[in-house]
Coordinates of all heavy atoms in Angstrom, one line a residue:
I273 N 6.4 25.9 -1.7 CA 5.2 25.3 -1.1 C 5.4 25.0 0.3 O 4.5 25.2 1.1 CB 4.9 24.0 -1.9 CG1 4.4 24.4 -3.3 CG2 3.9 23.1 -1.2 CD1 4.3 23.2 -4.3
C274 N 6.6 24.6 0.7 CA 6.9 24.4 2.2 C 6.7 25.7 2.9 O 6.1 25.7 4.0 CB 8.3 23.8 2.4 SG 8.6 22.2 1.8
A275 N 7.3 26.7 2.4 CA 7.2 28.0 3.0 C 5.8 28.5 3.1 O 5.4 29.3 4.1 CB 8.0 29.0 2.2
A276 N 4.9 28.2 2.2 CA 3.5 28.6 2.2 C 2.8 28.3 3.5 O 1.9 29.0 3.9 CB 2.8 28.1 1.0
G277 N 3.1 27.1 4.0 CA 2.4 26.6 5.2 C 3.0 27.1 6.5 O 2.5 26.8 7.6
M278 N 4.0 27.9 6.4 CA 4.7 28.4 7.7 C 4.1 29.7 8.2 O 3.7 30.6 7.4 CB 6.2 28.6 7.4 CG 6.9 27.4 7.0 SD 6.8 26.1 8.3 CE 7.4 24.7 7.4
P279 N 4.0 29.8 9.5 CA 3.3 31.0 10.1 C 4.0 32.3 10.1 O 3.4 33.3 10.2 CB 3.0 30.5 11.5 CG 4.0 29.5 11.8 CD 4.4 28.8 10.5
R280 N 5.4 32.2 10.0 CA 6.2 33.4 10.2 C 7.0 33.7 8.9 O 6.9 33.0 7.9 CB 7.0 33.3 11.4 CG 6.2 33.2 12.7 CD 7.0 33.3 14.0 NE 8.1 32.3 14.1 CZ 8.0 31.1 14.5 NH1 6.8 30.6 14.9 NH2 9.0 30.3 14.6
E281 N 7.9 34.6 9.0 CA 8.8 34.9 7.9 C 9.7 33.7 7.5 O 9.9 32.8 8.3 CB 9.7 36.1 8.3 CG 9.1 37.5 8.3 CD 8.1 37.7 9.5 OE1 8.3 37.0 10.5 OE2 7.3 38.6 9.4
V282 N 10.1 33.8 6.3 CA 10.9 32.7 5.7 C 12.2 33.3 5.3 O 12.3 34.4 4.6 CB 10.1 32.2 4.4 CG1 11.0 31.3 3.6 CG2 8.8 31.6 4.8
L283 N 13.3 32.6 5.6 CA 14.6 33.0 5.1 C 15.1 32.1 4.1 O 15.1 30.9 4.3 CB 15.6 33.1 6.3 CG 17.1 33.4 6.0 CD1 17.2 34.8 5.4 CD2 18.0 33.2 7.2
W284 N 15.6 32.6 3.0 CA 16.2 31.8 1.9 C 17.6 32.3 1.7 O 17.8 33.5 1.4 CB 15.4 32.1 0.6 CG 15.5 31.0 -0.4 CD1 16.7 30.5 -0.9 CD2 14.4 30.4 -1.2 NE1 16.4 29.5 -1.9 CE2 15.0 29.4 -2.0 CE3 13.1 30.5 -1.1 CZ2 14.3 28.6 -2.9 CZ3 12.3 29.7 -2.0 CH2 12.9 28.8 -2.8
I285 N 18.5 31.4 1.9 CA 20.0 31.7 1.8 C 20.5 31.2 0.5 O 20.3 30.1 0.1 CB 20.7 31.0 3.0 CG1 20.1 31.5 4.3 CG2 22.2 31.4 3.0 CD1 20.5 30.6 5.5
R286 N 21.2 32.1 -0.2 CA 21.8 31.8 -1.5 C 23.2 32.4 -1.6 O 23.5 33.5 -1.2 CB 20.9 32.5 -2.6 CG 19.5 32.0 -2.6 CD 18.7 32.6 -3.8 NE 19.4 32.7 -5.0 CZ 19.6 31.7 -5.9 NH1 19.1 30.6 -5.7 NH2 20.3 31.9 -7.0
P287 N 24.1 31.6 -2.3 CA 25.4 32.2 -2.6 C 25.3 33.4 -3.5 O 24.5 33.3 -4.5 CB 26.1 31.0 -3.3 CG 25.4 29.8 -2.9 CD 24.0 30.2 -2.7
A288 N 25.9 34.5 -3.2 CA 25.8 35.7 -3.9 C 26.3 35.6 -5.4 O 25.9 36.3 -6.2 CB 26.6 36.8 -3.2
W289 N 27.2 34.6 -5.6 CA 27.9 34.5 -6.9 C 27.0 33.7 -7.9 O 27.3 33.6 -9.1 CB 29.2 33.8 -6.8 CG 29.2 32.5 -6.0 CD1 29.5 32.3 -4.7 CD2 29.0 31.2 -6.5 NE1 29.4 31.0 -4.3 CE2 29.1 30.3 -5.5 CE3 28.7 30.7 -7.8 CZ2 28.9 28.9 -5.6 CZ3 28.5 29.4 -8.0 CH2 28.6 28.5 -6.9
L290 N 25.9 33.1 -7.4 CA 25.0 32.3 -8.4 C 24.4 33.3 -9.4 O 24.0 34.4 -9.0 CB 23.9 31.6 -7.6 CG 24.3 30.3 -6.9 CD1 23.1 29.8 -6.2 CD2 24.9 29.3 -7.8
P291 N 24.4 33.0 -10.7 CA 23.9 33.9 -11.7 C 22.4 34.2 -11.6 O 22.0 35.3 -11.9 CB 24.3 33.3 -13.0 CG 24.5 31.8 -12.7 CD 24.9 31.7 -11.3
E292 N 21.6 33.2 -11.2 CA 20.2 33.4 -11.1 C 19.9 34.0 -9.8 O 20.6 33.9 -8.8 CB 19.4 32.1 -11.3 CG 19.8 30.9 -10.4 CD 21.0 30.1 -10.8 OE1 21.4 30.1 -12.0 OE2 21.5 29.4 -10.0
T293 N 18.8 34.7 -9.7 CA 18.3 35.4 -8.5 C 17.0 34.8 -8.1 O 16.3 34.2 -8.9 CB 18.2 36.9 -8.7 OG1 17.3 37.2 -9.7 CG2 19.6 37.5 -9.1
L294 N 16.6 35.1 -6.9 CA 15.3 34.7 -6.3 C 14.4 35.9 -6.4 O 14.7 36.9 -5.7 CB 15.5 34.2 -4.9 CG 14.2 33.7 -4.2 CD1 13.7 32.5 -5.0 CD2 14.5 33.3 -2.8
N295 N 13.4 35.9 -7.2 CA 12.5 37.0 -7.4 C 11.3 36.8 -6.4 O 10.6 35.8 -6.5 CB 12.0 37.0 -8.8 CG 11.1 38.2 -9.1 OD1 10.6 38.8 -8.2 ND2 10.9 38.5 -10.4
P296 N 11.1 37.8 -5.5 CA 10.0 37.7 -4.6 C 8.6 37.5 -5.2 O 7.8 36.9 -4.7 CB 10.1 39.0 -3.8 CG 11.5 39.4 -3.9 CD 12.0 38.9 -5.2
L297 N 8.5 38.1 -6.4 CA 7.2 38.0 -7.1 C 7.0 36.5 -7.6 O 5.9 36.1 -7.8 CB 7.1 38.9 -8.3 CG 7.1 40.4 -7.9 CD1 7.1 41.3 -9.1 CD2 5.9 40.7 -7.0
G298 N 8.1 35.8 -7.8 CA 8.0 34.4 -8.2 C 7.3 33.5 -7.1 O 6.8 32.5 -7.4
V299 N 7.4 33.9 -5.9 CA 6.8 33.1 -4.8 C 5.4 33.6 -4.4 O 4.8 33.0 -3.6 CB 7.7 33.1 -3.5 CG1 9.1 32.6 -3.8 CG2 7.8 34.5 -2.9
S300 N 4.9 34.6 -5.1 CA 3.6 35.2 -4.7 C 2.5 34.2 -4.9 O 1.4 34.4 -4.3 CB 3.4 36.5 -5.5 OG 3.3 36.3 -6.8
A301 N 2.6 33.3 -5.8 CA 1.6 32.3 -6.0 C 1.5 31.3 -4.8 O 0.5 30.6 -4.6 CB 1.9 31.4 -7.3
F302 N 2.5 31.3 -4.0 CA 2.6 30.4 -2.9 C 2.4 31.1 -1.5 O 1.7 30.6 -0.6 CB 4.0 29.7 -2.9 CG 4.3 29.0 -4.1 CD1 5.1 29.5 -5.1 CD2 3.7 27.8 -4.4 CE1 5.3 28.9 -6.3 CE2 3.9 27.1 -5.6 CZ 4.7 27.7 -6.6
F303 N 3.0 32.3 -1.3 CA 2.8 33.0 -0.1 C 3.1 34.5 -0.3 O 3.7 34.8 -1.4 CB 3.7 32.4 1.0 CG 5.2 32.5 0.8 CD1 6.0 33.5 1.2 CD2 5.9 31.5 0.1 CE1 7.3 33.6 1.0 CE2 7.2 31.5 -0.1 CZ 8.0 32.6 0.3
D304 N 2.8 35.3 0.6 CA 3.0 36.7 0.5 C 4.5 37.0 0.5 O 5.2 36.7 1.4 CB 2.3 37.4 1.8 CG 2.5 38.9 1.8 OD1 3.1 39.5 0.9 OD2 1.9 39.5 2.7
P305 N 5.0 37.6 -0.6 CA 6.4 37.9 -0.7 C 7.0 38.8 0.3 O 8.2 38.8 0.5 CB 6.6 38.5 -2.1 CG 5.2 38.7 -2.7 CD 4.2 38.0 -1.8
S306 N 6.1 39.6 1.0 CA 6.6 40.4 2.1 C 7.2 39.6 3.3 O 7.9 40.1 4.1 CB 5.6 41.4 2.6 OG 4.5 40.7 3.3
R307 N 6.8 38.3 3.3 CA 7.3 37.4 4.3 C 8.7 36.8 4.0 O 9.3 36.1 4.8 CB 6.4 36.2 4.6 CG 5.0 36.6 5.2 CD 4.1 35.4 5.4 NE 4.8 34.2 5.9 CZ 4.6 33.0 5.3 NH1 3.7 32.8 4.4 NH2 5.2 32.0 5.8
L308 N 9.2 37.1 2.8 CA 10.4 36.5 2.3 C 11.6 37.4 2.6 O 11.7 38.5 2.3 CB 10.4 36.2 0.8 CG 11.6 35.7 0.1 CD1 11.9 34.3 0.7 CD2 11.5 35.7 -1.4

Side-chain angles (χ1 to χ4, degrees):
I273 290 169
C274 291
M278 298 298 167
R280 296 186 306 274
E281 284 75 20
V282 170
L283 175 62
W284 201 311
I285 304 165
R286 299 182 41 80
W289 54 266
L290 284 177
E292 57 276 340
T293 60
L294 184 61
N295 184 341
L297 294 178
V299 301
S300 64
F302 304 100
F303 63 93
D304 181 355
S306 69
R307 291 181 40 227
L308 177 64

